[in-house]
Amino acid sequence: MYAYDDFDADFVRARVAEFREQVNRRIDGSLTEDEFKPLRLKNGLYLQLHAYMLRVAIPYGTLNSRQMRQLAMIAERWDKGYGHFTTRQNVQFNWPKLKDVPDILDALADVEMHAIQTSGNCIRNVTADHFAGAAADEIEDPRPTAELLRQWSTDHPEFQYLPRKFKIAITGSPNDRAVTKAHDIGLRMVRNEAGEPGYEVIVGGGLGRTPMIGKTVRDFLPKADLLPYLEAILRVYNLAGRRDNKYKARIKILVHETGTEEIRAMIEEAFAEQKALFQAPPADLVARIEAAFAPPDFDNTQSLAFDRAQADDPVFRSFVETNVTEHRNPAYGIVSVSLKPVGGTPGDATADQMRVLADLAERYGHDELRVSHEQNIILPHVRKADIPAVHAELKKAGLATANIGLISDIIACPGMDYCALATARSIPIAQEIATHFDALKLERDIGPMKIKISGCINACGHHHVGHIGILGLDKAGVENYQITLGGDSTETATIGERTGPGFAAEDLIPAIEAIVETYLDLRHTADETFLDAYRRLGARPFKDAIYHEHRDNARAA
Amino acid sequence: MARQTHPQIVTANDLFEGDVIYLTASGDWSRDHGDAAVAHDGEEAERLLGIANAQPGRIVGAYLADVTIGPDGRPQPVHFREAFRTRGPSNYFHGKQAEA
């Protein structure tokens, strides 16, 4: 875990003190809302549909037990006893009161956390593979790079007023769990022919109203060149990105309108200038960051407890099948804790559940937790011998749902239940899908299935890259849901195809069921996943299924 | 200006709490949609909005929302977004519905 140095600590405290003063001035009338709004947004404070919302950064999704317990305390003391973990590896509190926010930020600073740059047209929280440092398929831990980027981007004077928000994701594994191709910049750690580590640099991906898969502008960038190269990309974007239309202001539009070859040339030209001027980060700083992410002191003691528990307990075996991933150390496993209980709100954890997770991390997990972009919590380093005990504790806390990667492991944005931008609700749809397929007992037969739901065109629920994507819209004052199929968020990223007219909420579940039934009928074997089957079959049989049965109910889009 | 097809009320969020609130006939604010003052024409709606916007130290983001008049004579929301705002999120029983 990275620990703040004096500079980090002083910087965060100073920002809290500054914001406390700004809140006081808003309350006493010295600041108008127009003056105050950009200041609160710079500190992660939104005003949503029913209340304020504070978005707290969890850089690259990594936190320790002390930090998780502090989030639990904040949820209980200043909110309604729960927190919402998001697709950007942040946590959101949905009910803070304006006067309490400076105290919340101070409580966060006590555990080296903050809400800086979780909003605004700046470089947002850098996200990373949630299995970083643990995955068996990893080339290199991406978190030292992510931490370097956090330090570089925080309060960077040139990049505080970009044309729009800017999101960077990084993965250290060839299997992309960080959705790098749907970010403004995606970094994939690779090695060149000489075996030297570096990055593939992908630019101009993004979802929202104009979904785009990013374009590779460098197949291999040496590690030492990363910061000047990113400065070059950001500089090109800052100067050439559109500011006349917020809907065309993201770098994906610049890349699309300029063309990949030309944008690459612009970046390389800026990079040549930048590299000559750029001072490399101090070696001692880099060494300090890398040391902070050194692997934990693994206990390789062999035990039969894990195998025995699987043989004896089918519930545990089922949990292992879906929620435990191979660790780089064969004596360990990566435990994914689902925040998607059937009928629950995706991504929510109560204060008590947060404390259980903190306790488990401390006792069994080398004091590490991760937030995944799929709104689950990861215990990245659990000795296999301890996984039965972890599972037992998770069961007691209502956290043992064995559904990672299955149809009920749904990403859903807050939607109109919370969000001021939303045009329809997401959460009830996720709840209904999970409940419906739980009743059908088809989940395991269906196999890997990513359903992603957004409550508006901004696509916080990543619906474009869902195997089944659902977009909630307002059609003449009624909630209406469009379906996309065939999306993929991994290294083979694809934007899903819209099936056609949307569905009223009550007709959506039957349509999803028709899609699933079509897949089950037409797949070659039980091993052919939905995505593979869709890529083989195309959209036609699925469209026929949902519009044949539901033609009369489909609403013109 | 678009033709007004419904009566309207003024709604906003409370500056301190963030709660959804409604402008009443006395110029004060209520958390109950049914207490909202109803404007039956555009001129009256603009007058009510002016009263709201004169209170920047109390509220945030005032706007006009369409309503119908219920059998009890009280306003009722037209759009589902405004209906949700009267009761809070639907995933937990913890918004206004829990405090009513």
Side-chain angles (χ1 to χ4, degrees), chain A residues 246-549:
Chain A
K246 73 177 283 192
Y247 302 114
K248 296 185 176 182
R250 296 291 290 268
I251 194 171
K252 63 189 174 187
I253 303 297
L254 178 66
V255 172
H256 180 71
E257 291 186 345
T258 307
T260 307
E261 289 309 315
E262 191 170 342
I263 206 80
R264 183 184 290 126
M266 292 165 73
I267 292 168
E268 291 294 337
E269 185 181 348
F271 173 58
E273 292 171 9
Q274 198 65 17
K275 191 177 176 185
L277 300 171
F278 207 87
Q279 289 186 317
D284 60 338
L285 170 71
V286 173
R288 177 175 178 267
I289 292 172
E290 287 179 348
F293 295 102
D297 189 12
F298 290 123
D299 173 359
N300 295 319
T301 309
Q302 295 298 311
S303 165
L304 295 175
F306 181 70
D307 294 335
R308 198 178 298 130
Q310 283 196 86
D312 293 347
D313 180 358
V315 175
F316 179 68
R317 186 164 63 244
S318 168
F319 177 80
V320 171
E321 279 173 12
T322 49
N323 293 37
V324 178
T325 306
E326 189 182 355
H327 194 281
R328 62 170 55 176
N329 183 322
Y332 277 70
I334 302 169
V335 177
S336 293
V337 180
S338 171
L339 297 184
K340 323 282 179 59
V342 172
T345 300
D348 278 10
T350 66
D352 285 342
Q353 288 175 327
M354 288 186 224
R355 285 193 198 94
V356 168
L357 291 165
D359 291 347
L360 291 174
E362 194 170 54
R363 185 166 176 193
Y364 299 111
H366 294 276
D367 204 25
E368 271 200 48
L369 298 132
R370 308 283 172 74
V371 181
S372 79
H373 80 270
E374 290 173 315
Q375 300 178 288
N376 295 314
I377 300 293
I378 315 297
L379 296 165
H381 311 294
V382 183
R383 211 164 59 103
K384 280 183 179 165
D386 293 328
I387 294 177
V390 167
H391 179 246
E393 293 300 316
L394 291 173
K395 269 206 292 193
K396 282 191 252 175
L399 287 166
T401 309
N403 67 344
I404 297 294
L406 302 181
I407 196 168
S408 64
D409 183 13
I410 298 168
I411 288 181
C413 74
M416 199 182 273
D417 280 306
Y418 295 92
C419 180
L421 299 176
T423 47
R425 288 174 299 168
S426 301
I427 294 168
I429 301 301
Q431 291 171 319
E432 285 180 38
I433 292 171
T435 304
H436 184 79
F437 283 95
D438 182 61
L440 294 176
K441 300 299 174 204
L442 278 175
E443 192 161 41
R444 289 187 179 257
D445 194 19
I446 296 164
M449 171 65 87
K450 308 272 189 190
I451 295 189
K452 302 177 194 280
I453 308 173
S454 301
C456 79
I457 203 164
N458 293 307
C460 294
H462 295 188
H463 66 277
H464 294 295
V465 288
H467 300 166
I468 298 177
I470 298 169
L471 167 63
L473 295 169
D474 173 352
K475 284 288 173 195
V478 177
E479 289 170 292
N480 185 273
Y481 295 89
Q482 286 180 355
I483 296 173
T484 54
L485 295 176
D488 174 11
S489 65
T490 70
E491 63 280 1
T492 48
T494 313
I495 301 297
E497 300 171 78
R498 199 176 129 196
T499 56
F503 294 85
E506 62 270 23
D507 299 323
L508 180 64
I509 305 301
I512 302 294
E513 186 175 346
I515 291 166
V516 170
E517 283 175 352
T518 302
Y519 156 64
L520 293 174
D521 287 346
L522 297 180
R523 67 183 177 184
H524 275 325
T525 67
D527 292 335
E528 188 181 36
T529 65
F530 173 81
L531 188 59
D532 287 342
Y534 180 82
R535 284 174 170 167
R536 175 174 60 82
L537 293 161
R540 178 49 55 197
F542 300 96
K543 287 184 181 181
D544 287 348
I546 60 177
Y547 293 113
H548 173 73
E549 289 182 30

Side-chain angles (χ1 to χ4, degrees), chain A residues 16-35:
Chain A
V16 177
E18 180 185 63
F19 188 56
R20 186 181 294 280
E21 199 55 34
Q22 290 162 348
V23 169
N24 288 341
R25 290 164 63 205
R26 175 68 182 104
I27 289 173
D28 74 17
S30 308
L31 287 176
T32 65
E33 185 61 22
D34 284 348
E35 292 165 332

